[in-house]
Amino acid sequence: MLAARILLEAGAEGTRTEETMSYIASHYGLTENNSFVTNTVINFMLHNESYPRIYRIKERNTNLIKISKVNSVSRKLVRDELTLKEAFNLLEQIYIKTKDHPIWFKTIAGALIALSFLYLQDGLKIDIFTAFLAGALGICVTEIIKKRMAKQFIPEFFGGLTIALIVVTGHTYIPGGDLSTLLISSVMPIVPGVLITNAIQDLFGGHMMMFTTKASEALVTSFAIGAGVSSVLIFV
């Protein structure tokens, strides 16, 4: 259950989460285990005569480091390189000590992502500074609001709004570039790419509920970004 909690809260797909729980339980002879996970709930039963264990997932983020570490622990456990107690202690350390990246790190990463997409779309050199600043501040604003209020739509809306304001201002004072290319490149750091990818993986894995919820979440996030950008462009 702890492994599943870490995986789901770190943004893993439902297939991976269910297989990890089943993988560990089956190794210890509990082959009749049953699991069912969604974005917000884990249901797991060791065998037909046991009560189901249920855990509510309240926070979700993208942390591929946590997912990788949990996968490593489960494989070592199945290879008998770890005892159950050692594995549980390692999972607790992963859950408590593996923190999300700091905002300054995400800000720098957002700036580099924006520049990368500007390059991929054949953007002009004159737009480099604007894309760098918009990508950095856009993800910075989004992450700050997310930490203060765990709600959908609002952080991404203000992130898109910030990006559009910077891009339009930069395009006005440093003319000559392409506004559309600049906007697309700058919003890429806050686009829910991992969420969309995981939704498709859950679809292929037969997890229709996980696919529906993740696809809906990605749609709301994308709409929020579009609404934020459009709010500025309407008045331009």
Side-chain angles (χ1 to χ4, degrees):
M1 288 293 286
L2 179 57
R5 282 165 55 187
I6 297 170
L7 287 172
L8 274 185
E9 289 181 3
E13 63 274 21
T15 307
R16 182 190 299 272
T17 306
E18 288 187 355
E19 285 180 354
T20 299
M21 289 191 289
S22 178
Y23 193 52
I24 295 170
S26 298
H27 177 69
Y28 289 96
L30 299 161
T31 54
E32 293 183 359
N33 64 83
N34 248 311
S35 60
F36 176 73
V37 301
T38 68
N39 268 16
T40 55
V41 177
I42 302 169
N43 288 277
F44 186 67
M45 197 161 60
L46 286 170
H47 48 74
N48 294 332
E49 296 178 7
S50 67
Y51 290 106
R53 291 166 169 80
I54 299 173
Y55 187 82
R56 176 80 161 83
I57 301 295
K58 296 179 181 178
E59 296 181 7
R60 293 186 304 279
N61 208 329
T62 301
N63 194 319
L64 301 182
I65 297 174
K66 281 188 176 182
I67 296 172
S68 176
K69 287 183 176 180
V70 171
N71 288 342
S72 177
V73 169
S74 68
R75 292 189 187 105
K76 287 180 180 178
L77 187 61
V78 172
R79 291 197 299 262
D80 293 318
E81 295 175 12
L82 294 171
T83 64
L84 277 172
K85 183 65 177 175
E86 289 171 341
F88 187 76
N89 289 338
L90 281 173
L91 289 173
E92 281 190 323
Q93 289 178 18
I94 294 168
Y95 190 70
I96 296 169
K97 294 183 179 180
T98 307
K99 303 296 183 182
D100 194 16
H101 291 298
I103 290 177
W104 66 265
F105 183 88
K106 291 184 177 182
T107 300
I108 295 171
L112 295 177
I113 290 169
L115 289 180
S116 300
F117 276 94
L118 184 70
Y119 172 76
L120 288 172
Q121 296 183 96
D122 294 325
L124 302 176
K125 291 180 180 179
I126 199 169
D127 288 331
I128 287 176
F129 177 74
T130 305
F132 184 90
L133 188 63
L137 291 183
I139 197 166
C140 183
V141 168
T142 304
E143 291 299 320
I144 289 172
I145 297 174
K146 275 184 180 179
K147 286 186 179 296
R148 293 180 179 272
M149 54 184 304
K151 301 289 184 183
Q152 289 290 325
F153 189 88
I154 296 175
E156 291 81 9
F157 173 81
F158 281 102
L161 189 73
T162 302
I163 288 168
L165 283 171
I166 294 170
V167 166
V168 170
T169 304
H171 185 69
T172 302
Y173 287 98
I174 312 175
D178 183 63
L179 182 62
S180 299
T181 302
L182 195 51
L183 274 172
I184 294 168
S185 304
S186 301
V187 299
M188 282 300 171
I190 61 173
V191 168
V194 175
L195 195 62
I196 294 168
T197 304
N198 284 351
I200 294 170
Q201 286 181 320
D202 283 322
L203 174 64
F204 291 157
H207 290 261
M208 296 306 296
M209 186 174 290
M210 285 285 282
F211 163 71
T212 304
T213 53
K214 285 189 175 181
S216 300
E217 191 176 340
L219 186 64
V220 169
T221 303
S222 301
F223 178 74
I225 296 169
V229 172
S230 301
S231 298
V232 174
L233 294 181
I234 286 171
F235 298 101
V236 175

